[in-house]
Amino acid sequence: MSRTIVEAKQIKKIYGTKGNVFTALDGIDLTVQEGEFVGIMGPSGSGKSTLLNMLATIDQPTSGDIVIDGTSILKMNEEQLSVFRRDKLGFIFQDFNLLDTLTVKENILLPLALAKMNVKELERRVDDIADKFGIRQLLDKYPYHISGGQKQRTAASRAIVASPSLVLADEPTGSLDSKSATDLLESLRDLNEQAKSTILMVTHDAFAASYCKRVLFIKDGRMFTELVKGQAATRKEFFNKVLDVLSVLGGGVSDVV
């Protein structure tokens, strides 16, 4: 039986006070099992990014509870959260968040900088991850010398080099051309299938969502519906099902199949 990595119960997020109140999330329940690749979709303003920020410990809900890998993240102080982020979470952002003063290799190594790990193990991990994402030949280059797609694969390598319990991806293909986006999504799918990495990805793009095993749809701060790919379905079939739901929601569409 697989472990539960994420369990969010009745998550509410309310902004403002008294007469000027906006409910961003309204009683969201979410469970993610170890080894799942889950997408979160919804129209602009639906609450999907707010939910990701809660799970990333960047923001706190007004009410509800969030347990990640057996730990309630709402009961920690800032210092405990900092350690939790470092040890348990990996992040992939739309804008890469790489440091230009560090090489690709040094950027990937950042999450391991505070870990007491011998040099041989550090090197092995970086080489292994770089091979998975096809950037081994770029390790000595700096971010300003490589393409957007290569930067995002570097960021993805950094996100998973420490073997986190959960990888959170926020619109990871948003700044990429179609080929680079496809390369990244195929790498994430392979990582999920081969290394059993647990990935939760917010996206507006049906093409990106079609690589997931399950897609959750949020509307007006509430869970609208979900799609499960199923073992027999092809990616293209799942893509079309995602489009069908988005047409009801009024969400985004990709022209790439």
Side-chain angles (χ1 to χ4, degrees):
M1 189 175 174
S2 62
R3 280 190 305 152
T4 299
I5 297 297
V6 178
E7 188 167 15
K9 292 182 178 177
Q10 286 298 295
I11 300 303
K12 282 198 172 188
K13 183 61 178 181
I14 300 171
Y15 294 100
T17 54
K18 296 184 179 178
N20 189 24
V21 170
F22 171 66
T23 303
L25 295 174
D26 190 11
I28 291 282
D29 290 322
L30 170 67
T31 302
V32 179
Q33 300 298 325
E34 185 175 30
E36 280 201 283
F37 187 175
V38 178
I40 299 177
M41 303 193 78
S44 179
S46 61
K48 58 186 185 296
S49 293
T50 302
L51 178 59
L52 191 78
N53 286 341
M54 304 291 156
L55 300 174
T57 74
I58 294 168
D59 198 0
Q60 284 204 338
T62 304
S63 62
D65 192 25
I66 300 173
V67 176
I68 297 179
D69 202 11
T71 302
S72 175
I73 62 175
L74 304 182
K75 296 174 182 175
M76 299 185 199
N77 59 36
E78 256 321 305
E79 188 176 343
Q80 290 169 326
L81 280 174
S82 179
V83 172
F84 182 84
R85 285 185 207 111
R86 186 192 75 203
D87 293 346
K88 298 291 186 178
L89 302 178
F91 300 95
I92 308 174
F93 303 96
Q94 181 176 336
D95 56 359
F96 319 131
N97 281 14
L98 300 176
L99 297 177
D100 280 339
T101 55
L102 300 181
T103 64
V104 166
K105 182 177 182 176
E106 290 164 342
N107 269 284
I108 295 171
L109 277 172
L110 269 181
L112 300 176
L114 298 176
K116 294 178 180 177
M117 194 177 291
N118 66 52
V119 175
K120 277 188 178 180
E121 175 62 13
L122 288 174
E123 296 282 349
R124 186 197 67 76
R125 283 206 187 195
V126 172
D127 288 346
D128 184 46
I129 293 298
D131 282 340
K132 281 189 171 72
F133 282 95
I135 55 171
R136 183 78 173 265
Q137 75 283 7
L138 304 176
L139 289 177
D140 294 327
K141 293 184 180 293
Y142 288 86
Y144 49 83
H145 287 145
I146 63 178
S147 70
Q150 291 167 335
K151 287 179 184 177
Q152 193 58 296
R153 280 183 277 158
T154 298
S157 299
R158 179 187 58 192
I160 57 130
V161 72
S163 300
S165 301
L166 177 66
V167 176
L168 297 165
D170 187 8
E171 301 281 8
T173 61
S175 299
L176 304 181
D177 60 67
S178 59
K179 184 186 182 306
S180 297
T182 301
D183 289 345
L184 176 71
L185 291 164
E186 287 178 351
S187 295
L188 290 176
R189 180 193 59 199
D190 292 346
L191 189 72
N192 168 254
E193 291 177 352
Q194 295 165 18
K196 306 303 179 193
S197 295
T198 307
I199 304 170
L200 190 61
M201 176 175 71
V202 163
T203 182
H204 70 281
D205 182 16
F207 176 69
S210 70
Y211 281 82
C212 299
K213 293 177 178 174
R214 181 163 63 106
V215 180
L216 309 174
F217 297 86
I218 296 177
K219 183 178 183 181
D220 299 329
R222 296 182 179 181
M223 203 65 77
F224 179 73
T225 190
E226 77 168 15
L227 286 178
V228 178
K229 185 177 182 182
Q231 292 184 337
T234 65
R235 189 196 59 74
K236 190 170 180 179
E237 288 169 343
F238 195 49
F239 171 80
N240 288 324
K241 287 184 178 180
V242 171
L243 286 182
D244 289 342
V245 176
L246 288 180
S247 68
V248 177
L249 272 177
V253 174
S254 170
D255 60 358
V256 185
V257 180

